[in-house]
Amino acid sequence: MSAMRATLVREVRRTLFGARVWSIGAAIALLSGVPLLASAGSVAAQANLGPAISIAAWCARVASALIGAASVASERRHGTWDLILAAPGSPSSVLWAKGIAMLVVASILSLGLPLQALIEAMSGSVDLAAAVSGSISLVLVGAPGGAVGLLAGALARAGLAAAARARGRGGLGA
């Protein structure tokens, strides 16, 4: 099995069976449900999902960036980062696998919006196009946010290692 495939399988399993992403997804669903609760008593003909999508998008962007950065930190904490980089294949394939796993993370973080749309549809009418496009936009916002966090974590890790090596050789004002 290639390093990319092994990393992808491990990251997806960690995401699906770990509590961190699901608890953050539940928190995002609660936060983005506040505008729907505030407008629940109104006699509007159609539920407005705009504020819920905006809140969820900001939360998903920040949360996925933090989860992406934590992915590299957890590899370092468990001592597997150097093993992954030493495995056959390129380090970029490992980062690509972790980036693809961010799609799964972003999908979990955006699950609250379709559920809210279903609940709102029971009491009133919901624009299905807004719910579907909002869910897709949350995934499209969250995945790059996770990838940026992942790359920031990897670059910070590489930068610290390079600084330590330079310091050991007498660089950086040793």
Side-chain angles (χ1 to χ4, degrees):
M1 182 182 303
S2 70
M4 180 176 185
R5 183 172 176 194
T7 303
L8 180 61
V9 168
R10 189 182 71 238
E11 288 294 319
V12 169
R13 280 187 184 156
R14 188 181 294 171
T15 299
L16 291 177
F17 300 119
R20 178 186 300 163
V21 175
W22 289 102
S23 60
I24 293 172
I28 290 173
L30 288 173
L31 285 173
S32 61
V34 170
L36 291 177
L37 288 174
S39 64
S42 68
V43 290
Q46 199 163 32
N48 183 11
L49 294 175
I53 293 171
S54 298
I55 290 172
W58 278 103
C59 292
R61 179 179 293 157
V62 171
S64 62
L66 292 174
I67 290 169
S71 172
V72 175
S74 70
E75 295 285 357
R76 185 186 60 190
R77 190 172 48 249
H78 293 113
T80 56
W81 183 250
D82 294 328
L83 292 174
I84 288 173
L85 295 180
S90 65
S92 64
S93 66
V94 172
L95 290 177
W96 273 107
K98 286 181 171 284
I100 292 168
M102 286 295 113
L103 284 172
V104 176
V105 169
S107 299
I108 291 172
L109 294 179
S110 66
L111 281 178
L113 187 66
L115 293 175
Q116 291 170 5
L118 286 173
I119 292 169
E120 193 67 28
M122 292 179 194
S123 62
S125 66
V126 173
D127 184 12
L128 289 178
V132 170
S133 64
S135 297
I136 292 171
S137 69
L138 287 178
V139 171
L140 293 177
V141 162
V148 166
L150 176 69
L151 290 175
L155 291 176
R157 172 75 173 133
L160 291 175
R165 274 188 246 126
R167 186 173 179 100
R169 289 186 213 141
L172 291 177

